[in-house]
Amino acid sequence: MAQLTHRASALHKSIPAVLFAARGLATASTSPITVETSLPFTGHKIDPPSRSVETSSQELLTFFRDMALMRRMEIAADSLYKAKLIRGFCHLYDGQEAVCVGMEAAINKKDCIITAYRDHCIFLGRGGTLLEAFAELMGRKSGCSKGKGGSMHFYKKEGGFYGGHGIVGAQVPLGCGLAFAQKYSKDESVTFAMYGDGAANQGQLFEALNMAALWDLPAILVCENNHYGMGTAEWRAAKSPAYYKRGDYVPGLKVDGMDVLAVKQACKFAKEHALKNGPIILEMDTYRYHGHSMSDPGSTYRTRDEISGVRQERDPIERVRKLILTHDIATEKELKDTEKEVRKEVDEAIAQAKESPMPDPSELFTNVYVKGLGTESFGADRKELRTVLP
C-alpha cells in the first residue's frame, strides 16, 4: 500500500473516520486504488516508471486537505503582505503544491530536502506548523527561525528541512553535501535539492552534479519548472529548456508536477535509483499562479488567459477533488467543509502569530559568531560596540 503522508492525523480534524463508516467505506479507506497518471513520464538515459500509481481513499483525502491548507496559507500571506504585516521578500507557492505533497508521500524524515526561497509549503510538508510559518513571515519570536529569517529562510533541521536559501542556485551544492553525509553515514536516505528553471543555468549546479556523479551520491536534483525565471520565459533564458536532460551523463525524468500522484511515483522511483546508482534529475512541469514575488504582478510577461487556462485544466487540488468524487470517497459538500475548516485553521494561526512578540534587539548579534566571540553592542543606547576575535 502506498505510504501515507505524515499529516494524515490532521486529516481527521475535517474528515473523521465516521465519514468512511457512514458511507460504507470503513475498510475501503485504506484499500488500494490504482490511478493512471495524467501524462506519461519521459526519461533521459533511464526507463521511466509505470503510469499506474497505487493510492487509497485516505491518502487522496490527505492530499486534498494538505494542498488546500497550503493554498489557503499562501493566499493569506498575500493579504498579510499587502497589509504590511509581512515585509521584505515574499515568494508564494500556490499552484505548485502537488510537488511538495507528492514528494512527502514517497519519502520519510530521514530523507533531506533543501530548496530556494519559495519555501513556505515545503516547510509545512516537513512537519512545520502554521503558527511557526506565519510568525516567521511576520518576523516574530515564535517563527521557525525565531523571526530572523523571514519568508526566504524557513528551516526545520529535525524534520530534515535545510532551508530556505536566497542566493539563486546556492542550495544545490549544499544539497549534494547533505547527500555526501548520508552516503558517508550509510543511513539509506537521500537528499532532494530543489531549484527553479531560473537557476537551471547556474554553473555551481553543474559543478555539484559532476561531483555527485563521480561519487555516486544519493542526490536527487529537482527542477521545479514553473516556466518563468522571475519575468523571463524559459525559452528566452535557456537554449535547451529540457531540464531533465541537462545532466548529460546523469539520468533524468520529466514529470507532470501538477499531478500529485505522478510526483509521488517519480520521487519513489528516484529515491530507489539514487540509493543504488547515484544522482538523478527530476523536472517537475508546474506553474505558479502568483508573480515571482509579491513585487511582481505576474501579468506583464504572460496573459491572464494563460493563468486561468492552467487553473481550469491542470490545477492540482481540482484534480484530486475530481478523483475523490469519481471514486465516491467524499461528497462535494464534505470537501467544501474541509476547505472551510482549513480557512478557520489558517485564521487562528494568524491570530496567534500576531500575538507573538518581536525578537529582542540583542538577537541581532546571536547566531553569527561562536558564542563569546564577535561583536557585541552595549551601553545605555546600545551604540557602543565591543569586538572579541579568536
Side-chain angles (χ1 to χ4, degrees), residues 234-265:
E234 57 181 341
W235 60 269
R236 295 182 64 199
K239 184 65 178 173
S240 170
Y243 300 110
Y244 69 104
K245 295 180 179 178
R246 286 288 200 86
D248 184 19
Y249 42 81
V250 172
L253 197 66
K254 186 171 183 178
V255 184
D256 182 358
M258 305 292 271
D259 180 347
V260 67
L261 291 169
V263 175
K264 173 188 155 184
Q265 184 85 325

Side-chain angles (χ1 to χ4, degrees), residues 141-172:
K141 215 170 183 177
S142 302
C144 58
S145 299
K146 299 183 180 178
K148 295 169 65 177
S151 170
M152 299 199 293
H153 301 291
F154 280 34
Y155 195 83
K156 190 177 178 65
K157 186 180 177 183
E158 65 274 21
F161 180 54
Y162 290 84
H165 293 266
I167 305 299
V168 175
Q171 71 278 10
V172 177

Side-chain angles (χ1 to χ4, degrees), residues 41-256:
F41 301 100
T42 309
H44 166 68
K45 293 193 181 245
I46 197 166
D47 291 327
S50 168
R51 288 181 67 181
S52 296
V53 188
E54 198 172 273
T55 184
S56 67
S57 301
Q58 187 167 348
E59 185 177 58
L60 288 172
L61 288 168
T62 305
F63 284 165
F64 181 83
R65 190 180 202 283
D66 286 351
M67 290 195 289
L69 189 72
M70 291 172 180
R71 177 76 56 87
R72 187 65 208 164
M73 177 181 72
E74 295 295 67
I75 290 168
D78 174 287
S79 299
L80 290 169
Y81 194 93
K82 287 168 181 171
K84 297 187 177 179
L85 287 166
I86 297 173
R87 310 302 289 260
F89 294 102
C90 185
H91 305 80
L92 303 181
Y93 201 73
D94 50 319
Q96 300 183 206
E97 300 92 348
V99 176
C100 63
V101 171
M103 187 180 295
E104 285 295 338
I107 64 176
N108 58 52
K109 288 298 179 295
K110 281 176 66 182
D111 299 311
C112 300
I113 298 178
I114 189 167
T115 189
Y117 36 75
R118 206 177 300 278
D119 59 355
H120 313 158
C121 295
I122 297 166
F123 167 77
L124 210 63
R126 292 266 84 185
T129 67
L130 286 169
L131 172 59
E132 290 172 316
F134 283 117
E136 190 59 41
L137 284 168
M138 291 189 271
R140 309 298 175 110
K141 215 170 183 177
S142 302
C144 58
S145 299
K146 299 183 180 178
K148 295 169 65 177
S151 170
M152 299 199 293
H153 301 291
F154 280 34
Y155 195 83
K156 190 177 178 65
K157 186 180 177 183
E158 65 274 21
F161 180 54
Y162 290 84
H165 293 266
I167 305 299
V168 175
Q171 71 278 10
V172 177
L174 297 178
C176 291
L178 289 168
F180 181 88
Q182 288 167 325
K183 179 155 187 168
Y184 189 83
S185 303
K186 298 179 181 176
D187 64 3
E188 292 299 299
S189 57
V190 300
T191 292
F192 289 82
M194 304 173 74
Y195 58 98
D197 51 292
N201 300 312
Q202 283 275 320
Q204 57 190 326
L205 189 151
F206 296 97
E207 293 176 56
L209 185 61
N210 180 57
M211 287 189 280
L214 280 171
W215 300 333
D216 295 327
L217 301 184
I220 299 163
L221 273 63
V222 182
C223 177
E224 291 186 280
N225 182 9
N226 59 31
H227 304 284
Y228 296 95
M230 297 187 71
T232 306
E234 57 181 341
W235 60 269
R236 295 182 64 199
K239 184 65 178 173
S240 170
Y243 300 110
Y244 69 104
K245 295 180 179 178
R246 286 288 200 86
D248 184 19
Y249 42 81
V250 172
L253 197 66
K254 186 171 183 178
V255 184
D256 182 358

